[in-house]
Amino acid sequence: EDEEEEEDEMDMRGLLEENVQEVLEVPRTGEYEDDNKPIPIRDVSAVNDGRAELPCDIDPPDPSDRVYLVLWYRELAGKPLYSFDLRGRPPNTAKHWSADPTFGFGTRANFRVGSGPETPTALVIKTITLLDEGVYRCRVDYRNSPTRNMKLNLTVVEEPHAPQIKRDTDIQQDVGGAYAGPFNEGEELKLVCEVHGGRPSPTVFWYVDDQIVNGKTQIEPGKDIVVNKLRYAMLNRDMNNKKVSCVAKNNDINDPKTRTVTVQMNLRPQSVKILRKQNFLTEGVKVQIICEARGSEPPAQIRWYIGETPAENYKVQHNPLGSTTTSILIFEPGQGDNKRRISCRAFNKNIPGSTIEDHWDVHVMYKPRLTLTLGRTLNPQEIKERDDVYFECLIVSNPEANKLEWYHQDRRLYPNATGGILLSNQSLVIQGVSQKNNGEYTCRAENRQGKATSNEINLSIKYSPVCDNKSIDNSKIAVDSSVVTIVDCYLDSNPPVSQVYWISSKQGHQSRISPSQYTLMEGFSRLSYQPERTREADFGELLCYGVNKVGTQTDPCVFSIEAAGRPYPLENCKLGNSTGTFGVICDPGFDGGLTQAFNLEIFVSETKALLRNMTRNQPKFQLAGIHSNQPVSLQVYSWNKKGRSEIVTVAESVRINTDLGSRSTELPPSLVMKEPLYLVIGGAGIGFLLITFLSLIWYFKRRAVGKKLAVVEV
């Protein structure tokens, strides 16, 4: 329609411009039939700011006749405001003329020749205003037929404003948006539809979904406002999400003004249920407890309670279909949860008093709970040797425990009256404790759910100092009058040693050693000892005594003193791979009281020629990078300034090659004895042999006196 109107407007503007210089010849009154005779009036309506169509039947009574001139008049005006002139023109070239806006419609009007029932002949007026309202006359003149007059009463309708839907309260605030509410289930619903303006006054009514609902209509005097009130005394669940429309109508031209809102409601949960309640639960085994609430809108809030304590470890799933809320409680039952009530409570947070509940009294099976305590009269800090000690084991379990055991340092205890071990019901008694009773004690119990162990009680028995194994293993001391010998006395005691003293014992005579010669450290005492002479009569024993709060050491640590000498032979020597490296490893022997070093010698097995001599601070020799194509022998020994130990043969007639070593390089040819060189080099070889002979004499002489051999390399 808008496109047609634009085209009509352009056509009309063109026609007007074309005829702007022409003067319309309007017949004077009396030239035609009487225009003032009674003419039937037809009512026509148009909406303000819309379009009006004033119909006019121009078809001639005689089909052979034709239209000559169409004139439009308003009220009783003597001159026309629009003309459609076909005089002397073909039908499709009629002249259109419209009076200026001061009197007529200007470009707003256009006479449309009908083309059928859908588009009858009419004067089409655009952008109608209230000023256009009135009675119009259409006068049609034919070439031969009598003039035809038609009157039309144009009524301009002013549409009302869009309805406003408000809550019927003192404030009467617009509901705003597409939703009204939310309203709580069971409460009263009161809505007001308010419509402003409209000429004539609109009819205002309500629709709920597709059904008209009676409301109470009233017109506020002097305010040009029509009000209709809708009221439900008690909202039920069926009203949720219903569409409520307020309709204002005052014409049949345009669609009525409508405002639609959807009623939103807060609905109470209808049911809540804990699903799959088990007969019993097992301690420590997590379970998922499912609770389902239905019927709430928005979805129900679910809270879990264990006893009266809110639970926290749960997750919630909402299913908008059916307003269902599912909550899953992740519950790991413990011993304290036995016979405790688990509650699932569902509620709509917007509706006070909407909470409903389901509960479950759970039964928890659990392993024994054990608590080990020391006798109430005992002070764990004051237990001494030869005291009597007793323990109590408290058991809580479901079902009851059917077995109880006692353990010391993870070794089970059995009744032993001779050994001082007594068991009675849930008690353990140890008579006359000693150091062997030190350590951790536990009790263990069992039922159908499994075994359990109590807390540990560490029994720390107080005792006077005794000799530690380190002192016992190193009780032989070799000394040299020329040097100071360090003697360490390791002591074991509880509480720690607070004082120590040393005694020198020679040939039955004992004397205290000056405290300036020894010190007390954590766990041991160190004595700096140097005899005046190195004679057998000057040797004897050194005695070490410790003292703590319990008492003085009964049996001292005894160290036998002897003169320093040569070291003892090496022990447990092995040839092979160790920690990824090929070589020789030995255990050192007694060092003779002096610092010792260690030597490895490699000889050609057949000729006894020395190939390699190695000296180390520890008896560990790496052979990587050495190999020979002749059998060799390996010997080790240790030495100190007093001399050399006995030689230990590690291996004889072995080949050192890539099969034995981690990596290998050939020994220099000069270190590998092959055929006699004198056969090759003649006289020069004789001189070489002489030099070699003298070197060997020197070598064996050095070896005979126990001196360290030098490495011979040619």
Side-chain angles (χ1 to χ4, degrees):
E1 286 184 0
D2 293 339
E3 292 179 355
E4 291 178 0
E5 291 176 2
E6 291 178 1
E7 292 176 358
D8 293 344
E9 182 177 350
M10 294 176 64
D11 294 343
M12 187 64 197
R13 186 181 296 112
L15 291 171
L16 293 175
E17 291 175 354
E18 181 182 349
N19 299 307
V20 68
Q21 301 297 330
E22 299 183 15
V23 178
L24 178 66
E25 297 180 5
V26 180
R28 293 187 298 276
T29 303
E31 292 185 2
Y32 297 93
E33 297 181 10
D34 187 5
D35 293 334
N36 295 319
K37 66 181 179 180
I39 302 172
I41 297 179
R42 178 180 174 182
D43 290 327
V44 178
S45 297
V47 177
N48 186 34
D49 202 34
R51 185 172 73 170
E53 293 188 5
L54 305 181
C56 181
D57 184 7
I58 64 173
D59 293 336
D62 182 359
S64 62
D65 200 0
R66 62 189 294 268
V67 176
Y68 185 67
L69 179 66
V70 178
L71 298 174
W72 285 91
Y73 297 88
R74 181 172 181 176
E75 302 290 350
L76 298 178
K79 60 180 181 178
L81 50 77
Y82 194 94
S83 70
F84 178 74
D85 192 355
L86 284 171
R87 290 177 295 181
R89 296 176 178 274
N92 58 350
T93 60
K95 286 187 177 181
H96 294 258
W97 174 84
S98 180
D100 292 336
T102 55
F103 174 70
F105 302 116
T107 59
R108 289 192 298 130
N110 180 45
F111 188 73
R112 180 186 69 199
V113 177
S115 58
E118 297 283 331
T119 55
T121 301
L123 180 64
V124 180
I125 307 167
K126 300 185 299 181
T127 319
I128 288 294
T129 67
L130 293 176
L131 297 177
D132 296 326
E133 188 175 76
V135 177
Y136 293 84
R137 179 165 59 93
C138 173
R139 171 177 169 168
V140 184
D141 294 326
Y142 302 98
R143 181 175 295 277
N144 299 314
S145 300
T147 297
R148 176 186 296 166
N149 284 280
M150 287 166 284
K151 284 189 177 181
L152 299 105
N153 181 24
L154 175 62
T155 301
V156 178
V157 176
E158 186 176 8
E159 288 189 300
H161 295 287
Q164 298 178 3
I165 298 179
K166 302 180 179 180
R167 299 189 71 159
D168 190 7
T169 60
D170 294 338
I171 302 176
Q172 288 199 349
Q173 184 177 2
D174 192 282
V175 295
Y179 296 92
F183 302 96
N184 288 343
E185 179 183 358
E187 77 172 75
E188 182 182 27
L189 171 66
K190 292 193 295 183
L191 294 178
V192 174
C193 180
E194 187 176 283
V195 180
H196 292 250
R199 194 176 72 102
S201 293
T203 300
V204 179
F205 50 94
W206 293 92
Y207 272 96
V208 175
D209 280 348
D210 296 328
Q211 295 183 350
I212 295 180
V213 178
N214 293 326
K216 185 178 180 180
T217 303
Q218 64 184 44
I219 299 175
E220 297 188 11
K223 292 186 178 181
D224 198 20
I225 298 174
V226 180
V227 174
N228 193 321
K229 295 185 177 181
L230 177 67
R231 179 177 179 273
Y232 283 85
M234 180 180 292
L235 279 174
N236 56 40
R237 304 175 66 90
D238 295 337
M239 278 296 293
N240 189 37
N241 292 323
K242 292 277 189 181
K243 293 187 181 298
V244 176
S245 302
C246 177
V247 180
K249 181 177 181 180
N250 70 346
N251 68 84
D252 294 324
I253 301 172
N254 290 345
D255 292 334
K257 301 289 186 178
T258 303
R259 171 76 185 281
T260 300
V261 295
T262 301
V263 175
Q264 284 189 325
M265 293 181 61
N266 296 320
L267 305 180
R268 298 171 179 268
Q270 293 178 300
S271 65
V272 62
K273 185 177 182 181
I274 297 176
L275 308 180
R276 297 191 296 275
K277 299 177 182 178
Q278 303 177 35
N279 292 331
F280 65 87
L281 304 177
T282 301
E283 177 191 23
V285 178
K286 290 183 179 180
V287 294
Q288 292 186 349
I289 305 175
I290 302 174
C291 180
E292 187 177 81
R294 293 178 177 271
S296 178
E297 185 67 36
Q301 302 289 311
I302 289 182
R303 296 289 182 269
W304 289 92
Y305 290 83
I306 300 175
E308 291 301 323
T309 303
E312 296 180 354
N313 190 17
Y314 61 88
K315 55 185 178 181
V316 178
Q317 299 173 347
H318 296 298
N319 180 7
L321 299 178
S323 300
T324 299
T325 302
T326 301
S327 180
I328 302 175
L329 173 66
I330 309 301
F331 181 55
E332 184 175 349
Q335 172 259 330
D337 297 316
N338 188 38
K339 298 182 180 180
R340 184 170 290 183
R341 173 166 291 185
I342 296 179
S343 303
C344 174
R345 301 175 186 175
F347 61 94
N348 188 320
K349 64 180 181 180
N350 300 309
I351 305 178
S354 62
T355 302
I356 56 177
E357 174 182 318
D358 189 21
H359 60 263
W360 174 25
D361 296 329
V362 299
H363 294 273
V364 181
M365 310 294 281
Y366 55 91
K367 295 188 295 184
R369 284 284 194 277
L370 307 177
T371 304
L372 181 62
T373 60
L374 200 60
R376 287 177 294 177
T377 60
L378 297 176
N379 183 348
Q381 306 300 323
E382 300 296 335
I383 298 176
K384 302 185 297 298
E385 289 181 306
R386 295 179 294 279
D387 287 347
D388 292 340
V389 175
Y390 64 95
F391 299 88
E392 292 287 342
C393 185
L394 177 63
I395 305 175
V396 178
S397 67
N398 185 27
E400 292 184 359
N402 51 32
K403 187 176 182 180
L404 175 63
E405 298 173 345
W406 292 89
Y407 286 83
H408 174 222
Q409 298 288 90
D410 287 332
R411 296 181 61 184
R412 185 176 175 183
L413 298 177
Y414 295 92
N416 183 358
T418 304
I421 304 297
L422 305 178
L423 303 180
S424 175
N425 294 330
Q426 295 176 205
S427 300
L428 166 66
V429 178
I430 306 176
Q431 297 176 325
V433 296
S434 62
Q435 290 187 50
K436 68 178 183 180
N437 300 119
N438 271 330
E440 296 174 346
Y441 287 82
T442 57
C443 59
R444 301 179 186 178
E446 181 179 355
N447 65 4
R448 291 200 305 270
Q449 294 300 312
K451 299 179 180 180
T453 302
S454 71
N455 57 297
E456 297 174 348
I457 291 183
N458 186 31
L459 194 61
S460 179
I461 300 170
K462 311 301 181 185
Y463 54 91
S464 58
V466 294
C467 224
D468 190 86
N469 289 333
K470 290 183 182 179
S471 297
I472 298 173
D473 294 340
N474 298 281
S475 60
K476 182 186 291 187
I477 306 297
V479 298
D480 187 349
S481 61
S482 62
V483 296
V484 174
T485 301
I486 300 300
V487 183
D488 289 334
C489 175
Y490 289 90
L491 300 172
D492 179 22
S493 68
N494 187 16
V497 174
S498 58
Q499 183 182 355
V500 70
Y501 60 90
W502 289 80
I503 293 178
S504 176
S505 176
K506 299 178 182 179
Q507 298 180 348
H509 176 71
Q510 295 184 346
S511 60
R512 293 282 290 265
I513 297 176
S514 171
S516 63
Q517 294 183 238
Y518 57 85
T519 58
L520 177 60
M521 302 183 187
E522 185 176 355
F524 70 97
S525 175
R526 173 164 290 177
L527 171 67
S528 299
Y529 181 71
Q530 184 177 12
E532 297 179 0
R533 296 180 299 276
T534 310
R535 296 185 310 173
E536 186 175 348
D538 293 328
F539 300 125
E541 295 178 333
L542 295 175
L543 308 181
C544 170
Y545 288 87
V547 181
N548 68 1
K549 291 182 179 180
V550 177
T552 302
Q553 183 173 346
T554 303
D555 298 320
C557 299
V558 179
F559 301 91
S560 298
I561 306 301
E562 60 183 52
R566 294 188 304 165
Y568 287 14
L570 281 76
E571 301 173 346
N572 303 321
C573 292
K574 296 178 182 178
L575 173 65
N577 282 313
S578 177
T579 65
T581 303
F582 183 71
V584 175
I585 298 179
C586 303
D587 293 332
F590 178 57
D591 61 5
L594 300 172
T595 302
Q596 62 179 338
F598 306 93
N599 273 51
L600 168 67
E601 295 179 346
I602 304 175
F603 294 93
V604 177
S605 298
E606 183 178 352
T607 64
K608 304 301 181 183
L610 179 65
L611 300 181
R612 184 64 61 90
N613 185 355
M614 302 180 185
T615 302
R616 300 289 184 268
N617 292 329
Q618 296 294 330
K620 298 179 181 180
F621 306 92
Q622 295 184 7
L623 300 182
I626 300 176
H627 96 246
S628 70
N629 55 7
Q630 295 188 32
V632 296
S633 298
L634 289 79
Q635 298 178 348
V636 293
Y637 60 87
S638 60
W639 57 273
N640 62 18
K641 74 175 187 175
K642 291 293 186 179
R644 189 176 65 179
S645 72
E646 296 179 7
I647 293 176
V648 176
T649 300
V650 178
E652 291 184 330
S653 299
V654 297
R655 294 179 184 272
I656 304 176
N657 52 42
T658 54
D659 294 332
L660 295 175
S662 60
R663 66 178 192 269
S664 175
T665 59
E666 288 280 353
L667 288 173
S670 61
L671 297 182
V672 181
M673 301 298 293
K674 298 182 180 180
E675 297 182 3
L677 296 180
Y678 66 88
L679 296 176
V680 181
I681 61 174
I686 295 174
F688 176 80
L689 290 176
L690 180 61
I691 294 172
T692 303
F693 178 75
L694 293 175
S695 298
L696 289 174
I697 293 175
W698 175 78
Y699 167 77
F700 285 111
K701 183 178 179 181
R702 289 285 305 273
R703 184 175 182 182
V705 298
K707 300 297 184 179
K708 179 180 177 183
L709 294 177
V711 176
V712 178
E713 292 188 331
V714 179

